[in-house]
Amino acid sequence: MAKMWAGRTAGDTSKIADEFNSSIGFDSRMYKEDITGSIAHAKMLAKQGIIAQSEAETLCDALAGILDDIASGKLLIDKNAEDIHMFVEEVLTARVGDVGKKLHTARSRNDQVALDLRVYLMNRVDELSERVYSLIAALTDQAEQHKTVIMPGYTHLQRAQPIMFGHHLMAYAMMLLRDADRMADCKRRMNVSPIGCCALAGTTYDTDRYFEAEQLGFDEIAMNSLDGVSDRDFVVELLSVISILMMHLSRLSEEIILWSSWEFGFVELSDAYTTGSSIMPQKKNSDMAELVRGKTGRVYGDLMAALTMLKGLPLAYNKDMQEDKEGVFDAVDTAKMSLEVFIGMISTMKVKADNMKKAAQRGFINATDLADYLTKKGMPFRSAYKISGSIVAYCIENGQVLETLPLETYKEFSDIFEEDLYEDIDLDTCVNKRNSVGGTSVQSIESQINYVRRKCNG
Ligand code: ARG
């Protein structure tokens, strides 16, 4: 088929080259953004007297018709077209004749594709943020319900100090709050219109880039035409933001997988978010969490591919840049689905409070509090730490636990110990006395919940 750009070249491209060159298979998802951009462009051309008002009206009506027809399925996207930009222009010219050929005045596919991708991704960022906020809400609601559930807190995956389950969940709410913030920040830099940069050097036509940008809802325009068409920072940035988000989801996935295991038994996922085994009847697998953990690697790959694709490119547009789309689309789709799965999975997750508490009761998780007890009675912390360590060693050797070790035995280690030590090493005391700002006490969790909810609504 004759190419729109045929002119310089006389011979046809080979079939394999056409196939290799075509991006319609993945960029057709930007049809709406492409058409909306073209409508704004036609209006700008008319306003500036570059085309007649009546011509712009013909173009805009036809473009709106194409948009409706694609959306309704009446017009099928031709998989043999070179890309979505060419496809829309070809259909337009077929529908309105020669006036269709005027649309591409003072524009290049280089600024067009940069525009389409920015607008498309800004819309996707909105969808992602909305889901991040829903997940924050699901975590916060669970945290509120389980703000008094004691569990072991871990470092090195060894029982460290008792914490509330609500506190653990709120840690993830904080991470996701940063993800939402990063998305907003990334969108702010995406919100710069490249249209009007043309091929690379700007144009001799008297265009109005501000007018065109404003119609498309942009806050700013790219101030250097070479940069406008070559900049894909926004792709890399969004991929980084999504990678960090996925890393957070993956860490939570790992914990959920552990917590759902027979060995931990801290939570039970709803049947709606687990699968069985084809051979082992007892199995209930946390496949959704495992998939999110697995897909995180894929998203990192998308980020690496984008960074690597761009690193050696001279200004301005190079066809390598067509490779910017599939990875970022994949990352956006993956993150969107992962968030949706997580929202449902977290809000239906059952918490096995008794098992969590039981796990916290073993492992000398209150040894720090024992040391703190001595310190509060005047002993330097390092000495108190040593004594508590010896008591733990004694207990392990003699099959005892701190809660029931007799006072006389304690006194053999230090005569500072009195009856009130038992109160201080009680798990409820341990958690609720950690009332420092950001600590694990119920009061602190409540203020964390308020903080997060305020941020979400503000
Ligand atoms: N399909 C191309 C892309 O996605 C559109 C830009 C083509 N521009 C060009 N000069 N070949 O990057």
Side-chain angles (χ1 to χ4, degrees), residues 67-113:
L67 180 56
D68 285 347
D69 291 350
I70 298 177
S72 69
K74 211 167 120 192
L75 173 63
L76 295 179
I77 291 174
D78 177 8
K79 291 290 160 198
N80 295 313
E82 186 175 329
D83 57 28
I84 189 62
H85 327 291
M86 289 302 199
F87 172 74
V88 172
E89 207 181 314
E90 274 158 14
V91 175
L92 178 70
T93 306
R95 288 190 179 186
V96 300
D98 275 355
V99 63
K101 296 180 185 169
K102 292 197 173 188
L103 176 66
H104 212 53
T105 313
R107 184 174 81 168
S108 152
R109 261 190 304 162
N110 298 348
D111 56 346
Q112 192 180 353
V113 71

Side-chain angles (χ1 to χ4, degrees), residues 23 27 83 85 109-110 113 317 319 321-322 325:
S23 53
D27 65 18
D83 57 28
H85 327 291
R109 261 190 304 162
N110 298 348
V113 71
Y317 180 84
K319 194 72 176 207
M321 289 162 77
Q322 182 164 285
K325 287 172 217 54

Side-chain angles (χ1 to χ4, degrees), residues 164-212:
M164 298 298 196
F165 187 55
H167 191 55
H168 201 117
L169 292 178
M170 287 313 290
Y172 283 99
M174 301 294 173
M175 296 180 214
L176 290 167
L177 213 48
R178 291 196 294 276
D179 292 321
D181 194 43
R182 267 187 283 270
M183 278 183 191
D185 201 40
C186 166
K187 188 178 167 190
R188 184 172 61 77
R189 269 183 295 278
M190 230 182 247
N191 193 353
V192 176
S193 169
I195 197 70
C197 290
C198 302
L200 73 162
T203 181
T204 54
Y205 292 97
D206 175 27
T207 52
D208 185 345
R209 292 190 57 205
Y210 289 101
F211 172 80
E212 203 166 339

Side-chain angles (χ1 to χ4, degrees), residues 210-353:
Y210 289 101
F211 172 80
E212 203 166 339
E214 203 182 293
Q215 282 189 88
L216 294 166
F218 281 102
D219 288 344
E220 284 179 62
I221 66 169
M223 293 309 282
N224 178 295
S225 61
L226 286 173
D227 181 44
V229 291
S230 316
D231 174 20
R232 292 293 184 275
D233 291 5
F234 62 99
V235 171
V236 173
E237 240 186 293
L238 180 58
L239 281 165
S240 316
V241 170
I242 294 177
S243 293
I244 298 174
L245 164 71
M246 290 299 293
M247 178 266 287
H248 291 152
L249 297 185
S250 186
R251 292 182 79 168
L252 183 49
S253 294
E254 172 64 13
E255 301 214 275
I256 287 173
I257 295 160
L258 283 172
W259 292 340
S260 329
S261 70
W262 199 263
E263 286 71 12
F264 276 79
F266 287 0
V267 300
E268 183 172 350
L269 295 178
S270 147
D271 293 353
Y273 297 94
T274 50
T275 59
S277 155
S278 57
I279 170 171
M280 296 163 283
Q282 84 284 11
K283 294 271 272 186
K284 187 168 180 186
N285 300 329
S286 6
D287 287 27
M288 304 306 127
E290 289 168 35
L291 274 171
V292 168
R293 190 178 57 185
K295 285 174 190 289
T296 300
R298 200 169 111 175
V299 169
Y300 292 178
D302 294 330
L303 169 64
M304 282 307 129
L307 283 167
T308 313
M309 179 274 286
L310 288 165
K311 74 181 266 291
L313 294 190
L315 300 183
Y317 180 84
N318 300 269
K319 194 72 176 207
D320 314 46
M321 289 162 77
Q322 182 164 285
E323 290 291 313
D324 59 0
K325 287 172 217 54
E326 281 166 291
V328 75
F329 292 164
D330 175 64
V332 164
D333 294 347
T334 305
K336 190 171 154 190
M337 258 194 126
S338 302
L339 285 165
E340 281 169 6
V341 162
F342 249 84
I343 294 163
M345 191 171 72
I346 293 294
S347 47
T348 54
M349 179 176 76
K350 290 238 156 27
V351 174
K352 297 177 166 175

